[in-house]
Amino acid sequence: MRFQLLAVGFGLGSACLVVQAFAQPQIPATFYGSVTVDGKSAAEGTDIRAIVNGTDCSQNAPGTRPILRDGDTSAYVLSVVHESQRPGCASDGSVVTFTVGGRPAVQSSPWKAGPIHLDLSTGAAPPIPLPSATGTISAILATETAAAPPATSATLSRPTGTPPTDDI
């Protein structure tokens, strides 16, 4: 009898663990990109909010989603929670709209878990894109290549001496 009760208890305990594992909240969508207000980079510290079906689904508290500014470019990173994290928020395919400093952004995007690049803008002007690491590296390489003389067999140095070995 004890064995049967133990087996039943273990079975119920295992079932609870399985149910609990499936009840974990979905990871949020993380939107990132540039922010442009009326054709100019947004001011540092400007508030951005993500709205789904009229509900603010931004993961951070108001005032903690500042825009970061570097030179002429403003960038943001904002997590948007799933309905399993906050009732009434996003699920796969839900349309996410944004506000920048209280003004509606022109862009919107469907929600999906993980990172999503989306440049935001308010007003009629298009968003200013984030600088491209590839474009910057290509420009540097092009400058260095143009300044360097072409390599010839006379300019290439070859090692001299006895090559190393692993013999002791």
Side-chain angles (χ1 to χ4, degrees):
M1 180 73 170
R2 283 186 178 174
F3 180 71
Q4 289 173 340
L5 288 176
L6 185 60
V8 169
F10 180 73
L12 289 175
S14 297
C16 290
L17 290 175
V18 170
V19 170
Q20 185 178 3
F22 286 115
Q24 296 297 317
Q26 173 72 0
I27 63 170
T30 304
F31 289 88
Y32 68 95
S34 68
V35 186
T36 307
V37 175
D38 296 326
K40 297 178 183 174
S41 292
E44 189 169 346
T46 301
D47 192 43
I48 297 182
R49 297 177 186 262
I51 311 297
V52 179
N53 299 322
T55 302
D56 184 352
C57 295
S58 308
Q59 186 167 20
N60 304 342
T64 60
R65 295 177 293 279
I67 292 175
L68 304 174
R69 190 156 178 169
D70 184 16
D72 292 334
T73 307
S74 295
Y76 78 100
V77 176
L78 180 65
S79 295
V80 181
V81 296
H82 186 262
E83 64 186 354
S84 65
Q85 294 172 294
R86 189 179 305 152
C89 282
S91 60
D92 281 332
S94 296
V95 176
V96 181
T97 60
F98 299 88
T99 62
V100 177
R103 294 175 57 187
V106 174
Q107 297 75 18
S108 62
S109 176
W111 188 96
K112 70 176 186 168
I116 301 169
H117 179 219
L118 180 66
D119 294 331
L120 297 176
S121 65
T122 63
I128 299 170
L130 292 175
S132 167
T134 306
T136 305
I137 291 171
S138 297
I140 291 170
L141 290 175
T143 304
E144 289 178 357
T145 304
T152 63
S153 60
T155 60
L156 295 177
S157 62
R158 296 184 184 259
T160 59
T162 307
T165 63
D166 61 351
D167 294 340
I168 298 178

